[in-house]
Amino acid sequence: MGDPPPYPEPPSQEPGTRRSSQVSEPSLDQIQYPAGVPEEEMPQIQASVPGWSQWGGLPQQESMPMFPPEAARVGDMEYPSMNLGFPPEFQTLPYLDESRIQGADQTNLILQQLQRDQGNLLQRLESVYQDPRSNLLDQFYQRDPQQLYEGSQPGPYIRDDPALQFTPSELGLPPYGAEVPEPEPRQLAVQNAKAYLLQTSAGCPLSLYEHLVNLLTKILNQRPEDPLSILESLNRTTQWEWFHPKLDTLRDDPEMQPTYEMAEKQKALFVRGGGGAEGEQEMEEEVADTAVPNVMEAAFYFQQAGVGLSSDESFRVFLALKQLVEQQPIHTCRFWGKVLGLSRNYLVAEVEFREGEEEGEEEEVEEMLEGGEAMEAHAEEEGEEDEEKVADVVPKPTWKPPPVIPKEESRSGTNKYLYFVCSEPGRPWTRLPHVTPAQIVQARKIRKFLTGHLDAPVISYPPFPGNEANYLRAQIARISAATQISPLGFYQFGEEEGDEEEEGGAGRDSYEENPDFEGIPVLELVDSMANWVHHTQHILPQGRCTWVNPLQKTEEEEELGEEEEKADEGLEEVEQEVGPPLLTPLSEDAEIMHMSAWTARVSCTLCPQYSVAIVRSNLWPGAYTYATGKKFENIYIGWGHKYSPENFNPALPAPIQQEYPSGPEIMEMSDPTVEEEQALKAAQEQALAAAEEEEEDEEEDEDEDQDD
Amino acid sequence: MDAEGLLLSLELASGSGQGLGPDRRASLLTSLMLVKRDYRYDRVLFWGRILGLVSDYYIAQGVSEDQLAPRKTLYSLNCMEWSLLPPATEEMVAQTAVVKGRFMGDPSHEYEHTELQKVNEGEKVFEEEVVIQIKEETRLVSVIDQIDKTVAIIPRGALFKTPFGPTHVNRTFEGLSLSEAKKLSSYFHFREPVDLKNKTLLEKADLDPSLDFMDSLEHDIPKGSWSIQMERGNALVVLRSLLWPGLTFYHAPRTKNYGYIYVGTGEKNIDLPFML
């Protein structure tokens, strides 16, 4: 609001202009009493309207200033004094001016009338008024509220006026009533104005009057700082609140429905299983041996490094894992981490089933797949037979798909563990299928965000064989293989199991805990990467951990001698792929662009004696490991993608295949060009002409001979 | 995130997995207060953490009275001593665009970049390899600036503009409603508007000039570069940027809590179009 113009000529000379847009001006400058207000008029009004009129002396920084615009907007006021008709509801402070000029005594009568009429509003405001809120106007609260309600005191907020600390009698002003105005037209005007304000339109049950009452009540309740600047938002909020009453004991808020559902589900997590009688027994059983990992402990240590979920989220994860352990026959369980997705996230649990508990689901799925494949092969064969019966033999395509590399058995290699996912603690856990080498190979070539829905298709080139569940599983396998590490010595190889040569140099694939492990000091762990080892097998380029010669099974293909996709494999010989053996120290890890693949830190430099060692993977951002003493744990929280300093280059489409091998019977020749055809034609004509000439010559010779 | 409600904010933003350790939190609570006093900022925001190889940078920003005025950026290696960073300029951004890879963690580290520059010597023009040294501090400044310009966001209604020009914090902001919270159009970029004048008149007619004076996220390119999720069963809406992975914006609907934090390597995800 700009500077209000100086107080102009008395408003009585311009009654009509009151309703113009300049209404705010006089109202504002009326507040600036200290500036240049006709002092002599003030006492009269103060006398005439005790207490109420003394609003005129209100300093500028009061919260009152915001009211004038409200009151000004109240309507087209033909009678400025009409504004005085709302003393109990509005701080029609500025309109005191008019009252001052035009006979304040009239106003008093009007006020009294209206006050009697507006008993309820006054009550409402009374409650507001009694509210002992402290604010800038604390100094004005010294005055006992009750005093101001004597007699025909109209406005409850009189206490805010500094001049109100004194009663009119103290000021030595003549009592109100010296002037005797005409009440009738004034009264009528006030009532008219009020009736206008109270009207409601068909579309809106809320009248302006009510709205302004609400607004001002709200403001006076909350007493915000600088309310003028937030007036518009307050206005909007008040209106909104009228139409959206908060208290509705019968109906639930529709928006909060999913929240409540989620809360219900999570509440189920917190309920302990079993009845009360079995409570003690169960407690003992649970304490004795449980597969549920100590998620809280791991979360605590990770938190030292600033990694991981918040503690209540971790606790909920713990409860969810407990639920999983109860539902499935689980031998060991570990919280693997959280993979972020576009619309939902995945909480991943790494479990191992008990011995002998085979995954029935998995087998069923496999059977279905095999059945499907058999059907397809059968259909193809029939199709081919039909084709052979046709007279023209269509050349058979010589392309055969590359051999499918068999996936690894459960509990070995990449499928050593089973993974369960859920999107939020409280939701049911879903098992992820085992990963096949083909999926891992393709997953290395693509880079896609996970959406959060397991059955979403993965649209990419080269096409990923599977849906998001498979892609997620493949990424989990890759991350596990690359970032699951432990301090050197924690795991050791078991007793010698057979000859290394027999295993084809693939190395050992099992390890066991070292009971004699004594822990490595934190500082040493941080200093050298050689103190950490991988305890998951490296995945070969083939997509498996143990190498399998893909050509051994398919002898027919060897005879055909077709090419394979991998460059270093010859037609019939495939080189064995070798990877680093198990329990390789991290110092052997390849560097990324002159940068080591791991970053190790102490969690807190200020207290190294109690810190833990934190190792962060630079290759898979989001993979963390902590170790302290004899404890260690891995976790992954991230998007599930590898870090590459270079930009992602999508695979180029495959080269165009040869349609058929060129052979003598199928050989393309280009059509002769026009010139050649013409030349040929000319040559033929020449030959023909030459032949005719010869015939003619012969005939002539014969004729000549005959003649002779 | 505002330094005032740092602890709560860190809890709410922890869904992305990266946060701060307790020692860092304690240091921040103390040091940010001192920063606010010393530099006389209206608000101090804890911007986030850039992970470097040797050490991490902790970044804070100071906001003056006018919320949209350029913010001052400070960095620290230990959350205690803060140093002011110079404001970003276009040349800085252009110069550091060639630097790739992770941050080292040492502000005085210099990246070397060889460029072929045409050198005129007399009448001959030939190319010479010039090695340009780029300081890590410059790179830090430009990365922070880029992140701020592209992915720093606030909910609609959190700031409002007065007719005089300055932008203020809206004290009557009670939070977005649940239905609004799930829409991208309820969030604005926390920077001077760039696209606003390109809107059609019809669109502009629906805008409230005191609240809608910044660009919304709706027209961000590429489309889908934001992931909106509701966590804790609709009690928290989290927006994660896919263009700068590591930026998390959180807001508890119907409350005043909101903020963003960046914890990441400081590298743009240029492969985004391939990944969607």
Side-chain angles (χ1 to χ4, degrees):
Chain A
M1 320 298 158
D3 289 332
Y7 187 72
E9 59 279 13
S12 61
Q13 296 169 12
E14 323 171 355
T17 64
R18 197 56 67 207
R19 73 186 103 124
S20 68
S21 58
Q22 296 191 10
V23 179
S24 57
E25 297 172 13
S27 55
L28 278 174
D29 61 44
Q30 286 158 20
I31 321 294
Q32 290 176 355
Y33 264 74
V37 166
E39 289 287 335
E40 61 279 8
E41 292 176 335
M42 209 171 116
Q44 279 184 359
I45 287 126
Q46 286 176 344
S48 58
V49 185
W52 191 66
S53 58
Q54 297 173 23
W55 290 353
L58 207 57
Q60 198 170 4
Q61 66 268 20
E62 291 287 283
S63 53
M64 302 307 138
M66 70 179 301
F67 300 127
E70 288 295 314
R73 270 191 257 123
V74 160
D76 301 329
M77 302 288 183
E78 293 183 17
Y79 304 90
S81 63
M82 253 192 292
N83 302 323
L84 301 171
F86 310 101
E89 304 87 32
F90 304 107
Q91 310 273 339
T92 51
L93 175 58
Y95 298 91
L96 278 180
D97 201 20
E98 298 109 40
S99 74
R100 261 184 297 128
I101 311 299
Q102 290 165 359
D105 51 347
Q106 303 173 17
T107 65
N108 198 19
L109 290 172
I110 298 164
L111 293 173
Q112 289 173 22
Q113 249 185 1
L114 285 166
Q115 193 176 0
R116 283 190 285 269
D117 295 341
Q118 303 301 319
N120 60 334
L121 283 168
L122 190 58
Q123 277 171 11
R124 193 197 308 179
L125 292 163
E126 227 178 287
S127 60
V128 165
Y129 179 66
Q130 302 292 353
D131 193 6
R133 280 181 198 261
S134 61
N135 59 14
L136 295 172
L137 312 174
D138 261 339
Q139 45 182 323
F140 305 123
Y141 287 14
Q142 296 158 12
R143 193 173 172 86
D144 183 10
Q146 280 310 110
Q147 289 177 20
L148 299 174
Y149 272 90
E150 297 162 20
S152 60
Q153 301 279 348
Y157 304 105
I158 313 165
R159 58 185 180 155
D160 300 315
D161 187 354
L164 290 175
Q165 292 180 11
F166 315 99
T167 56
S169 52
E170 290 168 2
L171 286 170
L173 302 166
Y176 177 73
E179 298 161 348
V180 183
E182 269 190 302
E184 293 309 323
R186 220 48 73 182
Q187 221 171 343
L188 193 61
V190 165
Q191 282 173 352
N192 282 346
K194 185 141 179 247
Y196 164 76
L197 288 178
L198 274 170
Q199 69 186 180
T200 64
S201 65
C204 170
L206 178 67
S207 72
L208 181 54
Y209 191 88
E210 285 261 25
H211 172 64
L212 289 171
V213 166
N214 292 337
L215 180 61
L216 290 172
T217 313
K218 182 177 175 155
I219 290 170
L220 288 166
N221 277 342
Q222 294 178 357
R223 305 259 166 185
E225 277 181 32
D226 197 14
L228 183 57
S229 54
I230 50 176
L231 179 62
E232 286 85 15
S233 9
L234 280 176
N235 188 25
R236 198 172 300 120
T237 322
T238 315
Q239 261 183 340
W240 189 89
E241 275 175 7
W242 175 271
F243 291 107
H244 296 83
K246 286 194 179 171
L247 299 171
D248 198 340
T249 50
L250 291 179
R251 258 193 327 174
D252 284 334
D253 192 351
E255 279 192 345
M256 296 296 283
Q257 206 47 34
T259 319
Y260 295 145
E261 281 174 12
M262 198 63 226
E264 287 282 332
K265 278 194 199 137
Q266 295 197 341
K267 185 176 162 185
L269 278 181
F270 288 88
V271 172
R272 288 200 52 199
E278 307 172 2
E280 285 187 13
Q281 260 190 350
E282 283 199 9
M283 189 103 75
E284 288 175 7
E285 279 178 17
E286 281 186 31
V287 167
D289 189 15
T290 171
V292 187
N294 194 348
V295 173
M296 296 309 293
E297 190 189 11
F300 167 75
Y301 283 115
F302 278 120
Q303 207 183 30
Q304 301 294 308
V307 174
L309 308 171
S310 61
S311 24
D312 56 301
E313 193 70 27
S314 301
F315 190 73
R316 277 195 223 120
V317 167
F318 169 72
L319 289 175
L321 284 177
K322 188 168 140 191
Q323 196 186 46
L324 177 65
V325 166
E326 283 164 12
Q327 287 169 357
Q328 306 272 350
I330 288 178
H331 177 55
T332 59
C333 171
R334 194 176 79 83
F335 178 54
W336 185 88
K338 179 172 175 181
V339 182
L340 303 173
L342 293 184
S343 50
R344 294 198 302 203
N345 305 322
Y346 292 115
L347 291 169
V348 182
E350 183 182 81
V351 308
E352 215 177 303
F353 273 178
R354 284 197 274 265
E355 294 289 339
E357 297 270 356
E358 266 318 313
E359 311 88 36
E361 277 181 34
E362 193 65 24
E363 291 177 352
E364 284 176 15
V365 169
E366 280 190 30
E367 285 175 7
M368 276 170 45
L369 280 177
E370 285 170 16
E373 285 173 7
M375 291 283 293
E376 286 177 14
H378 194 60
E380 276 182 21
E381 287 175 9
E382 289 186 359
E384 287 182 13
E385 286 175 9
D386 285 335
E387 285 177 23
E388 285 180 20
K389 290 176 190 166
V390 176
D392 266 333
V393 178
V394 177
K396 291 189 193 165
T398 52
W399 178 81
K400 286 283 195 308
V404 175
I405 300 172
K407 75 174 183 196
E408 292 181 281
E409 294 293 314
S410 304
R411 301 173 192 271
S412 76
T414 47
N415 292 323
K416 183 163 184 184
Y417 295 105
L418 267 178
Y419 293 91
F420 281 83
V421 294
C422 85
S423 61
E424 252 192 273
R427 290 201 197 269
W429 290 88
T430 319
R431 195 168 84 184
L432 288 180
H434 279 310
V435 66
T436 65
Q439 287 167 356
I440 291 190
V441 167
Q442 297 294 65
R444 283 174 170 154
K445 294 184 188 164
I446 66 175
R447 206 171 145 96
K448 282 281 183 189
F449 277 119
L450 296 161
T451 61
H453 300 275
L454 283 175
D455 46 3
V458 177
I459 303 168
S460 65
Y461 184 80
F464 186 77
N467 56 11
E468 181 156 309
N470 304 105
Y471 184 50
L472 174 64
R473 179 67 181 83
Q475 292 295 92
I476 291 176
R478 290 172 71 199
I479 293 173
S480 295
T483 62
Q484 303 281 324
I485 59 180
S486 55
L488 177 70
F490 191 91
Y491 288 120
Q492 66 184 11
F493 286 122
E495 297 168 358
E496 293 286 330
E497 302 172 359
D499 241 336
E500 277 195 22
E501 291 179 9
E502 285 183 9
E503 292 171 18
R508 301 168 222 261
D509 58 355
S510 70
Y511 49 82
E512 62 178 29
E513 269 189 46
N514 180 358
D516 303 327
F517 179 60
E518 282 181 0
I520 305 180
V522 165
L523 289 176
E524 278 185 29
L525 281 175
V526 168
D527 270 338
S528 157
M529 285 291 106
N531 286 324
W532 298 86
V533 295
H534 288 278
H535 62 255
T536 34
Q537 278 181 304
H538 175 80
I539 302 185
L540 302 168
Q542 199 182 41
R544 293 175 51 112
C545 293
T546 50
W547 188 78
V548 151
N549 192 342
L551 296 183
Q552 281 172 359
K553 292 189 180 178
T554 56
E555 294 172 348
E556 299 173 2
E557 290 155 7
E558 280 183 2
E559 290 173 1
L560 284 176
E562 44 88 21
E563 299 182 321
E564 295 218 345
E565 288 181 20
K566 297 177 183 137
D568 57 355
E569 294 172 19
L571 290 176
E572 295 193 2
E573 277 189 22
V574 174
E575 266 187 43
Q576 182 180 16
E577 297 163 11
V578 182
L582 202 58
L583 299 190
T584 316
L586 295 192
S587 42
E588 312 269 329
D589 276 4
E591 284 189 350
I592 319 165
M593 252 182 78
H594 322 294
M595 176 175 76
S596 114
W598 300 89
T599 307
R601 299 265 174 82
V602 180
S603 68
C604 173
T605 45
L606 294 171
C607 55
Q609 58 270 41
Y610 298 120
S611 314
V612 299
I614 300 281
V615 176
R616 189 165 81 200
S617 168
N618 294 328
L619 191 59
W620 291 95
Y624 289 84
T625 310
Y626 87 87
T628 175
K630 296 192 189 174
K631 287 189 278 229
F632 82 98
E633 185 60 75
N634 298 294
I635 201 170
Y636 179 85
I637 302 186
W639 292 98
H641 296 118
K642 199 170 182 175
Y643 169 77
S644 92
E646 303 301 325
N647 298 339
F648 169 68
N649 276 323
L652 292 174
I656 305 172
Q657 292 175 350
Q658 285 227 312
E659 291 175 355
Y660 43 80
S662 290
E665 61 266 14
I666 312 168
M667 195 167 74
E668 270 190 41
M669 285 199 320
S670 46
D671 281 342
T673 62
V674 178
E675 289 84 10
E676 284 177 17
E677 279 193 16
Q678 282 179 350
L680 186 64
K681 189 172 170 190
Q684 278 181 347
E685 282 174 11
Q686 258 188 0
L688 197 61
E692 284 180 1
E693 277 182 15
E694 281 182 7
E695 284 183 10
E696 285 176 10
D697 286 342
E698 285 177 4
E699 285 179 8
E700 285 178 7
D701 286 341
E702 284 178 6
D703 287 342
E704 285 178 5
D705 286 341
Q706 284 176 7
D707 286 342
D708 288 342
Chain B
M1 59 178 61
D2 219 321
E4 309 278 314
L6 186 71
L7 295 179
L8 174 63
S9 308
L10 283 173
E11 285 283 316
L12 293 177
S14 62
S16 307
Q18 309 261 23
L20 294 175
D23 56 326
R24 298 284 179 223
R25 285 185 207 201
S27 334
L28 273 183
L29 283 175
T30 329
S31 58
L32 287 182
M33 200 159 341
L34 292 175
V35 161
K36 184 170 172 182
R37 176 201 70 182
D38 291 337
Y39 289 89
R40 307 248 186 274
Y41 291 134
D42 185 53
R43 277 197 306 160
V44 175
L45 306 174
F46 177 60
W47 186 91
R49 181 170 148 200
I50 293 191
L51 308 171
L53 292 179
V54 171
S55 63
D56 302 337
Y57 294 108
Y58 295 87
I59 315 286
Q61 287 192 328
V63 186
S64 52
E65 283 284 337
D66 181 8
Q67 305 287 324
L68 270 193
R71 306 186 272 280
K72 310 277 185 308
T73 316
L74 302 109
Y75 81 95
S76 159
L77 292 164
N78 58 2
C79 279
M80 257 305 152
E81 287 123 20
W82 295 88
S83 327
L84 195 61
L85 282 174
T89 60
E90 297 260 345
E91 316 162 10
M92 274 193 203
V93 175
Q95 196 187 35
T96 51
V98 295
V99 181
K100 290 199 185 133
R102 300 280 303 272
F103 276 87
M104 281 309 290
D106 173 20
S108 54
H109 175 82
E110 292 190 345
Y111 298 96
E112 290 185 354
H113 171 69
T114 52
E115 239 184 35
L116 292 176
Q117 271 189 5
K118 290 197 176 167
V119 177
N120 286 329
E121 276 198 12
E123 292 180 353
K124 291 189 198 170
V125 175
F126 57 89
E127 294 186 355
E128 207 182 77
E129 279 200 11
V130 174
V131 176
I132 303 178
Q133 308 265 6
I134 303 171
K135 285 180 71 171
E136 177 146 306
E137 208 178 70
T138 321
R139 186 177 173 209
L140 186 65
V141 165
S142 63
V143 160
I144 295 175
D145 184 59
Q146 280 180 311
I147 293 179
D148 265 347
K149 287 215 163 69
T150 47
V151 290
I153 56 181
I154 54 168
R156 176 178 185 269
L159 298 184
F160 77 102
K161 197 167 179 161
T162 53
F164 309 116
T167 322
H168 296 297
V169 173
N170 184 4
R171 286 196 318 272
T172 61
F173 176 60
E174 291 291 335
L176 300 172
S177 69
L178 268 177
S179 55
E180 278 176 15
K182 295 188 192 167
K183 295 187 212 158
L184 274 181
S185 54
S186 330
Y187 302 99
F188 292 149
H189 285 283
F190 193 21
R191 57 150 203 241
E192 292 287 338
V194 170
D195 259 347
L196 214 51
K197 45 188 176 302
N198 296 339
K199 285 189 181 248
T200 64
L201 274 182
L202 270 182
E203 287 172 349
K204 279 196 216 169
D206 289 329
L207 298 181
D208 177 357
S210 68
L211 293 180
D212 295 304
F213 54 96
M214 289 182 280
D215 299 322
S216 88
L217 294 190
E218 264 183 318
H219 303 292
D220 266 8
I221 296 166
K223 204 159 176 182
S225 64
W226 287 96
S227 129
I228 298 194
Q229 286 178 20
M230 305 297 294
E231 288 196 2
R232 304 181 184 203
N234 277 8
L236 182 68
V237 59
V238 175
L239 270 80
R240 293 199 181 96
S241 166
L242 305 178
L243 190 59
W244 290 93
L247 183 107
T248 312
F249 169 86
Y250 63 88
H251 173 51
R254 301 192 180 185
T255 68
K256 288 190 198 169
N257 297 323
Y258 68 88
Y260 65 90
I261 186 173
Y262 178 85
V263 179
T265 61
E267 286 166 298
K268 194 169 178 175
N269 180 17
I270 302 190
D271 308 328
L272 182 60
F274 291 117
M275 297 170 75
L276 287 174

